Amino acid sequence: MPRDHTSRRPGRPARRTDASPDAERDLSAAPLYSPARVRDLLDRHGLRPTKSLGQNFLIDGNILRAIAEAGGAASGVPVLEIGPGLGVLTREIASRGAQVTALEKDERLRPVLAETLGGLDVNVIWGDALDFDYATLQAGTRVIANLPYYITGLLLSRFMRAPGIASATVLVQKEVGQRLAAQPGSENYGFLSAIAALYGSVQHVRDVPKGAFLPAPDVTSSVIRLDFDRTREAPEPAFLSFVEAALHHRRKTMRNNLRLTGMDGDAIDAALNATGLRPDVRAEDVSLGDLRDMALKLGVVR
Ligand code: SAM
């Protein structure tokens, strides 16, 4: 993946390119995240936000500060941002002295980031965040990002598995945040909740209304902070696959979910019995401890 340090040019004051008196008003006094500056940046660079890349840009300073604060952006802290976009969150994080690496797929944003991140020491890596090798990150790295929602699950799973990542403070769809923080027996409990608990803890920081973005997304969002406990032994891939299969359809019985993977019905019944679970227990009611017991009794892990 190509590496590119963004230019260190001092930020230029933003100017409209048409000549109407209204358009000539100086925008440089407005903060970078203000709707007027964001529209101006997009106009001057001939860009339109791309829905398929999940481009909903933040235009609310309070939210930007809250994410950077909750994510632990501070002097000398290594921070990884996915999707810097126009650079508004990146600026907020970098101006607190954090060492920011940002992964951005949309090459059209090169000149925008050269302008908005001028003067800041940010390492922008151009390419797909799904191709990045997260195992290379230094210990204590904090992810802080307004994630592209179409790949939230895949990215969270990469963050959890990367030993160098200490926490991830991310904007996600509200519904995903609820699933991450859910306990067994609650309405939103499922695979995401179980693996989040397997790797550490989840904190709901705040909800974010649609109006905090340009363009506004279809859904309400939440800022969630995941803290990963790296003193725990990394879960075996076989156990992760088992949990995924067992909770695949959260409203179905766990027995049916496991049968769908081709497991023997009698063996599942014996394991349920030995674990002290009802044969018709629903996936949404099974705790991580019970999943571990089931996996042991079925010989999935040792
Ligand atoms: N951080 C900016 C903000 O808060 O205004 C932009 C966030 S926007 C929700 C998501 C960003 O992720 C966009 O800049 C988009 O181009 C980028 N993106 C989308 N898919 C990506 C991928 N697969 N790898 C890296 N970046 C991606």
Side-chain angles (χ1 to χ4, degrees), residues 100-299:
V100 186
T101 299
L103 311 182
E104 176 56 64
K105 183 173 180 175
D106 186 356
E107 299 257 359
R108 299 175 310 157
L109 297 170
R110 271 181 191 270
V112 179
L113 288 183
E115 176 181 329
T116 59
L117 300 183
L120 291 168
D121 191 11
V122 174
N123 177 24
V124 180
I125 300 177
W126 295 95
D128 193 324
L130 294 178
D131 294 337
F132 183 71
D133 183 2
Y134 293 89
T136 60
L137 291 168
Q138 72 178 100
T141 297
R142 300 193 177 276
V143 174
I144 303 180
N146 171 15
L147 294 179
Y149 290 170
Y150 74 103
I151 46 171
T152 299
L154 288 171
L155 289 172
L156 291 178
S157 144
R158 307 279 164 98
F159 303 159
M160 289 176 190
R161 289 164 210 240
I165 299 183
S167 68
T169 303
V170 285
L171 255 166
V172 295
Q173 294 179 41
K174 183 173 181 173
E175 182 208 320
V176 173
Q178 287 169 331
R179 279 161 44 200
L180 281 165
Q183 299 299 316
S186 77
E187 206 192 334
N188 297 304
Y189 181 77
F191 175 62
L192 260 189
S193 342
I195 57 161
L198 193 57
Y199 282 96
S201 58
V202 181
Q203 188 196 336
H204 172 265
V205 177
R206 60 170 297 162
D207 287 340
V208 179
K210 298 174 188 178
F213 303 88
L214 194 149
D218 299 331
V219 290
T220 303
S221 303
S222 298
V223 180
I224 297 292
R225 174 167 163 155
L226 297 110
D227 280 275
F228 306 120
D229 182 353
R230 300 300 178 195
T231 63
R232 294 185 197 168
E233 212 176 299
E236 306 90 318
F239 183 58
L240 290 174
S241 306
F242 175 78
V243 173
E244 186 163 18
L247 304 184
H248 191 63
H249 300 284
R250 38 182 305 278
R251 296 216 169 267
K252 286 196 177 175
T253 66
M254 179 164 65
R255 185 183 194 282
N256 277 351
N257 282 338
L258 292 177
R259 285 288 289 136
L260 286 173
T261 68
M263 266 187 196
D264 177 62
D266 290 342
I268 300 170
D269 290 338
L272 282 164
N273 188 34
T275 306
L277 292 170
R278 290 196 331 263
D280 62 348
V281 65
R282 281 184 197 270
E284 64 192 357
D285 291 325
V286 185
S287 70
L288 206 49
D290 285 341
L291 286 163
R292 161 73 54 187
D293 278 358
M294 286 289 296
L296 280 167
K297 287 177 176 114
L298 285 163

Side-chain angles (χ1 to χ4, degrees), residues 11-16 23-34 36-38 40 44 115:
R12 281 180 275 146
R15 275 181 200 286
R16 301 281 296 227
E24 276 183 9
R25 81 202 138 92
D26 188 5
L27 287 172
S28 63
L32 185 63
Y33 54 76
S34 65
R37 288 284 299 275
V38 167
D40 176 68
R44 280 191 295 106
E115 176 181 329

